[in-house]
Amino acid sequence: MRARRGAFTSATCCDAGEGLAERAAARLTEGGYTDVSLLAGGVAAWERVGFPVYSGVHVPSKAFAEVVEHDYGTPWISAEELAERQKRGERIAIFDSRSYEEYHSNSIPGAISVPGAELVYRFQEMVPSQDTFVVVNCGGRTRSIIGAQSLIDAQAPNRIVSLKDGTMAWHLAGLGVVAGATARAPEVSAAGIAVARQRADVVARRYGVPVIDRATLAEWQREADRTLYLLDVREPAEYRAGHLPGSVMAPGGQLVQETDSWLGVWGARVVLADDTGVRARMTASWLRRMGWDAVVLEGGLDGVELERGEPAPKRDNFSLAGPEPPTIQPVELRANPAVVVDLALSRAHHQGHIPGAWFAIRARLAAALDRLPAEGELVLTSEDGAIARFAAAELRTRRPVKVLTGGTAAWKAAGLPLDTGMGPLASEPDDVSVSARDRPPSERERYMREYLAWEVELVNQIARDTDCRFRLAPA
């Protein structure tokens, strides 16, 4: 949660009745939040009185894309038809609008990586010919729809469509998915930027995107009664090379795809920045249609001393729930074996963990102790040790407990070995949503079909939701 303390109108905690909401509310209050409530009866009570509930992740963004396709009539092409057009040698440009990492993992033959917010910005460089047929794809549906509609909104002159159901449809059609692709969009020339600005301005005017100056931003940053997000919507490498002090890296395409990862407070101000205004305007146009109070910072990065790299995450929002736990260095742990408990996300644990480490979910750590070996010192670790430190401070056990300094990252940096897979389990790994592509091969296609059906059904669910804040009409 990136909201400033004291800037909430309210915060409500809910769970499935397992006591986590009470713990969360207590910690929020200890951390300085002043208007914290519990949802009586949790999610089950909410559902019993007839309010809608949703399954899955990134629901606001995914539901929004389905509404966009339904209301705007965003055109699409099937995987089979696209493959046939490729065989005929037609002039086609395929743009994969996911992050580069996702594209590199699995993509359609011939596609190049152009993450969502980059499409209008880089289009003139990539498609000089107006008779090129342009296809925007992603893993499923959301970023394909938003990417194609972005180009249509910006009045790009080509025929533009989304790939219906993305690379999942390509896989389900029995077509070859590529692993390890590296094609990326070229740098943008001055002429390309000029055209992109004109197109982004058209969209910004149509959807009423406000522009603020640096003085207004400074005034908002001084206000304590309203949450403010300052987001840099360029590509990660650009952000690391230099960004506004206090801004958070949120590449525009990913921000629209998963607003719930960056924007936790309804009614907050959202200020978007980039170097030319193109990506900020395109991203703001979508956020405003989703119901966010999004604006663009005029001048972007001009005239300010920029910070480099990525800021270290803030860890002083909350005090520990107990005394500072003792620590142990990786080389000490290597020499003095202990019962190691890894509180990393199961995805990170699977990719690499300390040999013999038990996987456990932090929220269930107390119960998980019963499944651990009864003897020996406990050492808690996590990706970088931060979560392990908080968990150790609140853990109530008679066994000695230490925290691995720097977490598993420090163990790896010391050149010590890692194991992969899940290893011994103190808690079942249900802490993350596993993508269909990451399922076992025998189940993968079933999960793909179920996922796509879930996405399509969201448009019907959102139509029944009286609290929907989408507003697709022009300003």
Side-chain angles (χ1 to χ4, degrees):
M1 189 176 293
R2 293 181 173 85
R4 296 196 303 267
R5 288 178 290 177
F8 280 111
T9 53
S10 64
T12 302
C13 300
C14 61
D15 62 9
E18 66 271 58
L20 295 178
E22 287 86 350
R23 289 170 59 188
R27 293 298 283 137
L28 286 171
T29 302
E30 292 167 6
Y33 295 94
T34 56
D35 187 6
V36 182
S37 304
L38 288 171
L39 178 63
V43 176
W46 176 273
E47 189 172 15
R48 275 198 304 273
V49 298
F51 293 135
V53 295
Y54 296 87
S55 63
V57 296
H58 309 322
V59 172
S61 296
K62 291 182 179 296
F64 177 69
E66 297 302 321
V67 174
V68 166
E69 185 185 63
H70 179 272
D71 287 13
Y72 288 173
T74 308
W76 52 264
I77 188 173
S78 69
E80 292 85 353
E81 182 182 348
L82 176 57
E84 185 59 35
R85 286 174 174 267
Q86 283 184 316
K87 287 181 183 177
R88 292 200 298 263
E90 295 185 15
R91 183 175 293 181
I92 302 172
I94 304 174
F95 300 144
D96 192 312
S97 59
R98 299 172 293 170
S99 68
Y100 176 78
E101 291 74 20
E102 292 171 276
Y103 159 81
H104 181 71
S105 172
N106 62 89
S107 63
I108 291 170
I112 68 172
S113 175
V114 194
E118 306 297 311
L119 285 162
V120 171
Y121 180 59
R122 301 182 187 276
F123 189 82
Q124 192 68 13
E125 309 297 326
M126 299 183 297
V127 190
S129 170
Q130 295 187 14
D131 61 357
T132 299
F133 181 45
V134 176
V135 180
V136 181
N137 83 281
C138 67
R141 296 177 53 80
T142 304
R143 286 169 285 184
S144 300
I145 295 166
I146 297 299
Q149 192 62 49
S150 292
L151 292 171
I152 294 169
D153 286 351
Q155 300 179 3
N158 300 67
R159 183 187 172 197
I160 298 161
V161 300
S162 73
L163 176 61
K164 185 176 184 292
D165 300 341
T167 56
M168 290 189 192
W170 192 268
H171 173 91
L172 292 170
L175 302 167
V177 176
V178 177
T182 58
R184 307 182 84 150
E187 294 299 316
V188 186
S189 65
I193 291 174
V195 173
R197 279 178 172 159
Q198 292 173 359
R199 289 172 175 164
D201 281 341
V202 168
V203 178
R205 285 194 299 270
R206 181 173 177 79
Y207 294 102
V209 176
V211 176
I212 65 167
D213 58 21
R214 207 168 298 282
T216 301
L217 173 61
E219 179 183 343
W220 288 359
Q221 288 174 321
R222 288 191 295 269
E223 295 178 3
D225 60 348
R226 189 173 181 186
T227 296
L228 173 70
Y229 297 98
L230 175 58
L231 305 179
D232 188 316
V233 296
R234 298 172 299 155
E235 285 286 84
E238 295 174 274
Y239 175 87
R240 297 185 190 104
H243 57 268
L244 292 176
S247 65
V248 172
M249 181 173 69
Q254 298 304 106
L255 175 57
V256 175
Q257 150 79 1
E258 47 184 282
T259 48
D260 49 330
S261 293
W262 278 279
L263 305 176
V265 180
W266 272 115
R269 288 178 172 133
V270 183
V271 179
L272 306 182
D274 70 356
D275 53 345
T276 65
V278 173
R279 291 170 282 190
R281 281 170 170 76
M282 293 304 302
T283 305
S285 78
W286 286 117
L287 293 182
R288 294 189 69 81
R289 280 176 272 183
M290 292 182 74
W292 291 100
D293 185 7
V295 306
V296 171
L297 178 62
E298 186 64 47
L301 314 181
D302 297 342
V304 178
E305 185 176 352
L306 303 179
E307 293 181 347
R308 296 182 180 276
E310 292 187 42
K314 292 184 178 179
R315 293 176 179 152
D316 58 353
N317 293 50
F318 298 93
S319 59
L320 294 177
E324 187 72 43
T327 60
I328 185 171
Q329 297 292 327
V331 290
E332 294 179 81
L333 179 59
R334 174 74 164 174
N336 300 282
V339 178
V340 180
V341 183
D342 189 359
L343 302 177
L345 291 176
S346 57
R347 184 181 296 113
H349 179 86
H350 186 277
Q351 293 171 347
H353 59 265
I354 296 169
W358 290 72
F359 169 78
I361 295 171
R362 186 262 176 100
R364 305 173 195 159
L365 178 57
L369 293 180
D370 293 337
R371 300 178 64 176
L372 299 176
E375 302 296 327
E377 183 177 70
L378 287 178
V379 174
L380 304 188
T381 187
S382 56
E383 286 98 327
D384 61 2
I387 290 176
R389 174 174 170 264
F390 278 95
E394 70 178 25
L395 191 60
R396 302 296 175 255
T397 177
R398 294 181 179 181
R399 298 177 67 172
V401 180
K402 293 182 178 179
V403 174
L404 179 62
T405 302
T408 305
W411 176 277
K412 181 179 179 180
L416 300 173
L418 293 172
D419 281 352
T420 57
M422 288 310 298
L425 302 177
S427 297
E428 295 300 326
D430 63 351
D431 58 319
V432 297
S433 177
V434 180
S435 69
R437 188 164 294 280
D438 289 334
R439 299 283 182 176
S442 61
E443 302 177 340
R444 192 169 295 158
E445 294 186 357
R446 173 172 68 86
Y447 277 102
M448 285 182 176
R449 292 189 177 94
E450 290 178 357
Y451 174 82
L452 294 169
W454 167 78
E455 277 197 307
V456 171
E457 177 58 23
L458 284 172
V459 72
N460 296 319
Q461 279 192 271
I462 208 72
R464 299 189 293 268
D465 193 337
T466 57
D467 193 38
C468 178
R469 308 181 192 206
F470 302 159
R471 48 187 190 219
L472 270 62

